[in-house]
């Protein structure tokens, strides 16, 4: 983590928001039109005239378009829960044609089920009621462009602020990538998080939105990291799903069952239980940030997780669960092999 006491000559802080769309010095609060122009009509410029934007149905807007070098240090965002899965957040580094980040807004902030769950972690904080905060460092050498696409057939209002340092030396920095994949249902009890990534870098974060489609315990499967030419077998192999997220013994505290927790680097922050009617399945949200323990690779990366439960005779049961993953890693290139852009049907919360 950075030393906040260190002086950095030549580095200045800028912030892009609907109140200052360019982040330019002295240009904040000058709007004369915007989503707050009605409430502020008696007060005029400087009084919250443009606190948010409206993204048209099936439209895309720029959150920030910045010339570098620089580093995004904080993103704050909020929108109605209805939009958490239908808005796609993208980031393009250094003029790359393909996005390094392409993730539903809700999943990027650990809210894949379209329901609020508190997250109190070092890199992502989500606070009542849907205040999304990212502290993932996002370095760039020439430019950064953040966009949001609205895949829904209705407009969406979004509040946001993107804060960045301008003038930093990022010659030795990797580019942040975030990829979203969903297996619904999982095939052959295996869900892929990352595949086909080449180059040098470090894997830094996992979020899983896990929907259970059978009775019993569902988390016997192992997380596996295939590094730098690994074939059938990985270099890093965990011992179970709950173990990877820092828990143990089914996340089950005797007498109270599944027990939520949120810590700086890992957590089971969301537990959705059946209601006896339409909410028939158990669903979970889990995260692990490899900030203190990044997984470094020199030339290639592949990551997957098994979906295993139990069957009679103390035998593993391959599962057909619904798993959506957000995987984060830094890479020495601004673009990488990535999954296809998800469709609205693939994003639907079922």
């Amino acid at each position: 983590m950075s030393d906040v006491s260190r002086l950095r000559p030549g580095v200045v802080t800028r912030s892009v928001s609907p109140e200052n769309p360019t982040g330019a010095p002295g240009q904040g609060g000058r709007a004369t039109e915007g989503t707050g122009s009605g409430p502020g009509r008696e007060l005029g410029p400087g009084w919250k005239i443009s606190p948010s934007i409206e993204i048209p149905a099936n439209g895309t807007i720029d959150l920030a378009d910045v010339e570098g070098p620089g580093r995004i240090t904080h993103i704050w965002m909020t929108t109605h829960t209805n939009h958490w899965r239908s808005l796609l957040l993208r980031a393009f580094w250094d003029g790359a044609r393909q996005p390094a980040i392409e993730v539903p807004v809700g999943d990027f902030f650990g809210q894949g089920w379209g329901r609020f769950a508190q997250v109190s972690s070092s890199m992502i904080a989500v606070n009542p009621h849907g205040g999304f905060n990212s502290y993932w460092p996002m370095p760039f050498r020439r430019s950064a462009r953040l966009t949001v696409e609205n895949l829904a057939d209705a407009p969406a209002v979004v509040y946001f602020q993107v804060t960045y340092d301008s003038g930093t030396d990022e010659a030795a920095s990797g580019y942040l990538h975030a990829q979203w994949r969903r297996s619904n249902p999982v095939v052959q009890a295996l869900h892929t998080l990352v595949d086909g990534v080449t180059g040098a870098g470090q894997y830094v974060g996992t979020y899983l939105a896990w929907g259970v489609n059978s009775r019993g315990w569902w988390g016997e499967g192992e997380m596996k990291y295939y590094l730098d030419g690994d074939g059938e077998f990985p270099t890093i192999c965990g011992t179970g799903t709950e173990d990877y997220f820092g828990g143990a013994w089914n996340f089950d505290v005797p007498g109270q069952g599944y027990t939520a927790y949120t810590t700086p680097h890992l957590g089971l922050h969301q537990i959705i239980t059946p209601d006896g009617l339409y909410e028939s399945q158990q669903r979970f949200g889990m995260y692990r940030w490899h900030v203190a323990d990044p997984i470094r690779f020199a030339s290639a990366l592949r990551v997957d997780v098994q979906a295993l439960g139990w069957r009679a005779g103390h035998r593993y049961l391959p599962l057909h669960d619904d798993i959506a993953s957000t995987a984060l890693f830094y890479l020495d290139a601004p673009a990488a092999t990535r999954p296809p852009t998800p469709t609205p049907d693939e994003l639907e919360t079922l």
Side-chain angles (χ1 to χ4, degrees):
M1 303 302 290
S2 61
D3 181 357
V4 296
S5 68
R6 179 185 171 191
L7 298 179
R8 297 177 182 268
V11 177
V12 295
T13 298
R14 300 287 183 254
S15 192
V16 175
S17 73
E19 289 282 17
N20 188 348
T22 67
Q27 297 302 306
R30 293 191 173 202
T32 58
E33 296 181 354
T35 56
S37 58
R41 62 187 178 276
E42 297 175 355
L43 300 177
W47 294 93
K48 202 171 182 178
I49 300 301
S50 183
S52 59
I53 58 172
E54 183 176 280
I55 308 176
N58 304 301
T60 300
I61 58 91
D62 283 356
L63 290 186
D65 194 351
V66 178
E67 295 299 315
R71 171 178 293 233
I72 295 171
T73 57
H74 178 238
I75 299 173
W76 169 84
M77 183 184 300
T78 192
T79 187
H80 192 279
T81 55
N82 290 347
H83 310 314
W84 290 3
R85 263 285 172 85
S86 59
L87 295 179
L88 277 182
L89 174 67
R90 295 188 177 98
F92 302 81
W93 310 128
D94 290 357
R97 297 175 62 87
Q98 298 296 320
I101 295 173
E102 185 177 69
V103 179
V105 164
D107 292 72
F108 188 80
F109 294 95
Q111 309 290 307
W113 294 113
R115 296 188 185 183
F116 169 77
Q118 178 77 39
V119 179
S120 302
S121 79
S122 58
M123 311 314 293
I124 296 292
V126 180
N127 305 313
H129 181 58
F132 294 165
N133 297 269
S134 167
Y135 291 95
W136 286 108
M138 301 181 185
F140 49 95
R141 299 174 193 177
R142 299 196 309 274
S143 65
R145 181 169 170 248
L146 270 60
T147 70
V148 173
E149 180 180 2
N150 180 9
L151 299 180
D153 294 328
V157 173
V158 177
Y159 298 76
F160 70 93
Q161 191 149 16
V162 179
T163 302
Y164 65 96
D165 284 345
S166 178
T168 57
D169 180 1
E170 304 297 349
S173 298
Y175 299 91
L176 181 66
H177 293 248
Q179 298 186 351
W180 186 87
R181 286 177 169 85
R182 186 178 190 180
S183 300
N184 183 27
V186 171
V187 177
Q188 296 182 336
L190 194 68
H191 172 76
T192 297
L193 287 80
V194 175
D195 192 17
V197 168
T198 58
Q202 53 204 47
Y203 186 92
V204 294
T206 304
Y207 163 69
L208 296 184
W210 192 305
V212 179
N213 289 331
S214 61
R215 296 175 64 247
W217 170 237
W218 45 271
E220 284 302 318
E222 299 172 335
M223 284 284 297
K224 296 184 178 182
Y225 291 85
Y226 301 81
L227 310 178
D228 305 332
D230 285 344
E232 181 180 358
F233 298 102
T235 294
I236 298 176
C237 185
T239 59
T241 308
E242 82 275 45
D243 309 333
Y244 172 76
F245 292 101
W249 302 112
N250 311 354
F251 303 120
D252 173 15
V253 174
Q256 68 184 52
Y258 290 116
T259 302
Y261 60 98
T262 174
T263 77
H265 295 145
L266 40 75
L268 171 75
H269 63 289
Q270 188 161 42
I271 301 167
I272 299 175
T273 58
D275 67 356
L277 189 59
Y278 299 121
E279 300 291 340
S280 59
Q281 307 302 117
Q282 295 182 97
R283 288 172 286 173
F284 302 88
M286 300 161 281
Y287 66 90
R288 178 167 175 177
W289 312 142
H290 292 273
V291 175
D293 58 342
I295 297 174
R296 304 185 191 277
F297 54 96
S299 61
L301 175 68
R302 176 163 60 96
V303 184
D304 58 41
V305 62
Q306 299 166 330
L308 292 178
W310 289 103
R311 69 192 321 159
H314 200 66
R315 295 173 295 156
Y316 293 133
L317 173 67
L319 300 177
H320 302 281
D321 286 349
D322 175 4
I323 303 175
S325 62
T326 298
L328 300 106
F329 54 94
Y330 287 93
L331 193 65
D332 59 0
T337 300
R338 64 187 184 89
T341 297
T343 67
D345 285 348
E346 291 169 335
L347 290 165
E348 186 178 4
T349 301
L350 300 174

